[in-house]
Amino acid sequence: MNGALSGANLAHIRKRRLKSQMFGALCGAAAFIAVAILLTLIGKLLVDGLNRVSWSFLTSMPSQMFPAKAGIKSSLVGSMWVMALTILFVVPLGVGAAIYLEELQTRENWFTRFVRINIANLAGVPSIVFGMLGLTLFVYVFGFGKSILTGALTMAILVLPMVILVSQEALKAVPKSFREASLAMGTTQWQTVRRVVLPNALPGILTGIILAAARAIGETAPLIVVGAVGLVTFLPDSVDDRYTVLPLQILDWAQHPRAEFKTAAAAAILVLIALLLVLNSAAIIIRARAQKKV
Amino acid sequence: MQISKILIPSAIALLMGTALIGCGPKGGESTEGTTGSTSGSSEKVSGELNIEGSGTVFPIAAAMTELFNGENPDVKVTVGKKGTGAGMEVFAKGESDIADASRPIKDKEIKALEDAGIEFIEMPIAYDGLCIVVSKENTWLQSITIDQLHKMWDANSTVKKWNEIDPSWPDAPLNLYGPTDAHGTFEYFNETVNGDGENTRQDYSQQAEYDPLIAGVAGDANALGYVGYAYVEQNLDKVRVVAVDGGNGPVEPNGDTILNGSYAPFSRPLMMYINKSKMESNPALKAFVNFALGPNAPEAIRASGYIPMPQETVDIVKAWVEGGNTGSKLSGAKGATLNDLFGAH
């Protein structure tokens, strides 16, 4: 009887092991497919576009007449304006809201609950909806027109929930004992937040801001709605100017019937990916260094 | 713009770093300066110019803008491609100076402009042809009539095989390819073939972009599709163009047949609609209109894959535009030539 039991057990163990191995193989295949798709994509882009990437590609205006000379100057500068202004708007709002929710209004009441639920929901709203909001609010109600200012404000509200949530996490990660020690010395809440909590939470907050910047560079749909335009023949010199952005330039070239523009599109995508990689790497490095310190 | 005034200084501080990528201050001059100095014969103008509308006309508008900016580097031009309909809406709000259009203005759009108190001038700028394409492996289809196309594409069409249209064609599935309803070409085709811009069967392969459409037709011996002439010209190594019989025998689309109207009914003019009062107050707009009907415009039109109007027509249109004539001659006009429409005012 004992032997029969152990025989059944052995078969059972073998079956479970087999299942486990299959599970491992399937997960491995899934990971491999994800990486293979990404590598194929980047490989194809490198083949198509790498020859086209050069300093003059970055510093020439787009050209309809001479595709070989076309560059991304106007769209790259436009993207930089939008990104810089977005960060300018979103940092005080996002970090301020996070500090309020985590440091000042720590007691749960209907208001904080309401704000929290809204932020969590906003983070899941499709970006095009923010575009419609921006069009109504900034273009028409506030009368900012289809300007860089409108584009950046729209992007700022788009990434705001993300910045708040990441900043909240960063603030939560600062040990409570730090705050208590500081307050026990007789400091005010302002002094504690500024001198103790914020410096410790800074790497996490910075990571969030950089990821938000990356999002602001990559988004296209809401900017088309609020007035980024296919072709601008000048560089913006104030926030009231019209503008174009890199993803829109890529879209334009990718849809063009002439093959030379496909190459330009591939090259522009490479530049965009390089920018995003730099931003994301910066976020990872900052996080890694912060973790080492703790 | 009170708020933006306050924001500018703070924004500039942040942009100091990022502007480096833009390479130097006011970089536009470094690239355009060379072309501007050579061809700047007439007096230069400055100002702003906003163009919005058809994606079909966009390449022409963009190419013209490029050459125009070579002569007038201080004009700030934006060119959008939201589509003819969306362009008309922006135009009726007074937000744009020019509306690009791949079809004549509609009655309801004229009404919207009247309600807004905007007078417009209609300016044809170039020609486009619509082409019927098949795979290079297709050996049986040399020409096609509008009636045959209607049988294939009508909303109520149940045709599934080639030999249902013509018994001499093979007993093979008929695979249809066309653009989505976002394209001006979609409306143009349906209006011409099925009598209504919206009237089409739904079970065809709908392509948002022309490249996959061309690729689809190229790889399918039983395919038939329609695209704009500009796209076909680039892809003659992949697909074959079929002659169209509009009632007077089969005609192949090319520069001549599209211009002289013998490639009927699939040749059409492309238009720009100009805001009249803005043209009177904005010298940049006036200069651009002159450019679009000037000696350098055909270069821009050809580079975009379209067909320039003959000089005779250009002169007639120019007289029409400079005379400040408002209203639409093309709306509802079927079969008449541009010379007749715009010459007899």
Side-chain angles (χ1 to χ4, degrees):
Chain A
M1 189 163 170
N2 215 345
L5 234 183
S6 67
N9 246 345
L10 262 175
H12 185 58
I13 287 168
R14 229 174 274 129
K15 210 167 133 194
R16 279 171 53 219
R17 281 211 181 121
L18 189 70
K19 262 190 189 168
S20 174
Q21 278 165 354
M22 270 169 62
F23 173 69
L26 280 175
C27 288
F32 175 77
I33 287 171
V35 173
I37 289 173
L38 186 68
L39 287 182
T40 315
L41 190 74
I42 292 179
K44 171 94 171 92
L45 283 171
L46 284 171
V47 170
D48 287 350
L50 191 60
N51 288 334
R52 194 67 176 68
V53 181
S54 66
W55 183 245
S56 73
F57 182 67
L58 301 180
T59 57
S60 304
M61 295 297 260
S63 169
Q64 194 75 32
M65 300 289 297
F66 311 105
K69 282 195 220 158
I72 54 171
K73 184 181 195 166
S74 51
S75 49
L76 191 58
V77 172
S79 277
M80 290 301 163
W81 270 90
V82 170
M83 185 185 79
L85 285 173
T86 301
I87 291 174
L88 188 75
F89 297 141
V90 83
V91 166
L93 280 179
V95 177
I99 290 176
Y100 176 80
L101 289 173
E102 287 303 315
E103 302 296 322
L104 308 183
Q105 193 52 261
T106 44
R107 234 170 294 147
E108 189 93 350
N109 61 23
W110 69 268
F111 179 69
T112 55
R113 227 173 295 133
F114 178 72
V115 172
R116 260 181 243 275
I117 288 171
N118 265 299
I119 292 169
N121 278 327
L122 273 180
V125 170
S127 61
I128 191 79
V129 176
F130 286 98
M132 305 306 293
L133 177 67
L135 182 70
T136 314
L137 200 61
F138 301 128
V139 177
Y140 293 119
V141 177
F142 292 164
F144 294 155
K146 295 174 176 177
S147 59
I148 298 180
L149 180 64
T150 296
L153 285 169
T154 306
M155 281 322 226
I157 54 170
L158 173 73
V159 296
L160 183 61
M162 183 171 138
V163 172
I164 295 177
L165 290 173
V166 175
S167 300
Q168 275 184 289
E169 289 308 313
L171 292 171
K172 265 186 211 154
V174 177
K176 217 170 174 123
S177 55
F178 284 28
R179 292 181 188 87
E180 283 160 357
S182 170
L183 289 170
M185 310 274 284
T187 61
T188 62
Q189 190 151 38
W190 161 239
Q191 285 171 318
T192 301
V193 169
R194 193 167 78 97
R195 295 282 172 80
V196 177
V197 182
L198 267 187
N200 281 290
L202 199 59
I205 294 175
L206 273 178
T207 308
I209 291 168
I210 290 172
L211 291 178
R215 179 95 195 269
I217 285 193
E219 274 291 346
T220 325
L223 285 181
I224 294 179
V225 176
V226 297
V229 70
L231 173 75
V232 291
T233 63
F234 52 90
L235 293 184
D237 47 30
S238 84
V239 297
D240 288 342
D241 271 331
R242 300 289 302 264
Y243 62 104
T244 188
V245 289
L246 208 41
L248 203 56
Q249 182 69 67
I250 292 169
L251 184 68
D252 178 29
W253 280 340
Q255 289 177 338
H256 205 285
R258 288 172 75 173
E260 296 105 310
F261 286 109
K262 303 275 186 295
T263 320
I269 294 171
L270 284 176
V271 172
L272 184 61
I273 289 182
L275 266 175
L276 292 174
L277 277 180
V278 167
L279 286 173
N280 285 332
S281 315
I284 291 168
I285 290 167
I286 290 173
R287 203 164 46 210
R289 286 180 68 177
Q291 274 164 357
K292 227 183 275 170
K293 231 169 67 186
V294 176
Chain B
M1 287 286 127
Q2 285 288 340
I3 292 179
S4 57
K5 287 269 153 55
I6 303 162
L7 286 169
I8 290 168
S10 40
I12 286 171
L14 232 162
L15 281 160
M16 291 299 243
T18 53
L20 283 175
I21 299 172
C23 177
K26 306 260 174 159
E29 287 153 25
S30 58
T31 42
E32 261 108 35
T34 46
T35 46
S37 58
T38 50
S39 60
S41 50
S42 56
E43 72 274 35
K44 288 182 185 176
V45 292
S46 60
E48 284 185 29
L49 197 54
N50 293 313
I51 304 173
E52 181 62 81
S54 161
T56 310
V57 184
F58 176 83
I60 301 180
M64 281 184 177
T65 297
E66 195 176 338
L67 295 178
F68 174 74
N69 260 157
E71 294 176 9
N72 301 284
D74 293 333
V75 179
K76 294 176 157 189
V77 192
T78 65
V79 187
K81 44 188 270 187
K82 289 189 170 175
T84 303
M88 284 295 174
E89 281 174 30
V90 173
F91 190 62
K93 282 183 187 154
E95 291 174 3
S96 61
D97 302 286
I98 291 175
D100 291 342
S102 60
R103 54 154 173 80
I105 191 168
K106 290 178 178 170
D107 288 342
K108 63 172 191 213
E109 290 162 348
I110 295 177
K111 178 85 173 41
L113 283 165
E114 277 169 3
D115 291 347
I118 294 174
E119 285 192 304
F120 66 91
I121 297 175
E122 189 173 52
M123 177 172 75
I125 50 161
Y127 270 94
D128 182 21
L130 195 153
C131 296
I132 306 297
V133 291
V134 293
S135 157
K136 294 228 167 209
E137 291 164 48
N138 179 317
T139 51
W140 58 91
L141 193 68
Q142 304 309 323
S143 77
I144 193 161
T145 66
I146 299 302
D147 186 50
Q148 286 169 330
L149 282 171
H150 177 68
K151 277 182 190 152
M152 289 176 177
W153 286 92
D154 186 69
N156 301 318
S157 171
T158 53
V159 172
K160 292 259 188 284
K161 289 182 168 177
W162 281 90
N163 63 358
E164 290 176 50
I165 306 277
D166 183 331
S168 70
W169 291 346
D171 179 18
L174 171 65
N175 300 326
L176 297 172
Y177 291 76
T180 58
D181 60 3
H183 291 256
T185 308
F186 168 93
E187 253 177 73
Y188 177 48
F189 179 85
N190 293 323
E191 209 159 276
T192 313
V193 171
N194 300 328
D196 173 1
E198 311 281 304
N199 179 351
T200 182
R201 69 192 288 173
Q202 296 299 321
D203 56 343
Y204 70 96
S205 172
Q206 306 191 8
Q207 303 291 337
E209 284 163 44
Y210 288 107
D211 270 327
L213 200 164
I214 294 276
V217 172
D220 180 352
N222 299 318
L224 180 139
Y226 65 90
V227 286
Y229 182 74
Y231 294 86
V232 169
E233 220 189 4
Q234 313 285 334
N235 291 294
L236 284 174
D237 55 328
K238 302 193 186 84
V239 292
R240 185 164 66 79
V241 178
V242 177
V244 172
D245 185 345
N248 298 314
V251 179
E252 295 245 8
N254 59 45
D256 293 332
T257 56
I258 289 174
L259 260 187
N260 64 25
S262 60
Y263 181 63
F266 284 145
S267 69
R268 61 169 170 175
L270 301 173
M271 280 75 67
M272 287 183 174
Y273 288 89
I274 308 154
N275 184 317
K276 190 185 176 190
S277 69
K278 288 194 181 198
M279 189 167 78
E280 280 154 8
S281 62
N282 181 356
L285 177 55
K286 180 96 184 93
F288 184 84
V289 169
N290 280 337
F291 184 90
L293 296 169
N296 293 329
E299 187 190 351
I301 293 163
R302 275 193 211 98
S304 317
Y306 297 102
I307 303 148
M309 301 185 293
Q311 191 56 44
E312 186 198 356
T313 310
V314 171
D315 291 339
I316 288 171
V317 169
K318 199 165 182 176
W320 168 264
V321 172
E322 281 171 357
N325 296 290
T326 56
S328 175
K329 285 280 181 186
L330 285 159
S331 181
K334 281 228 162 80
T337 66
L338 289 183
N339 293 7
D340 292 344
L341 287 173
F342 290 89
H345 59 275

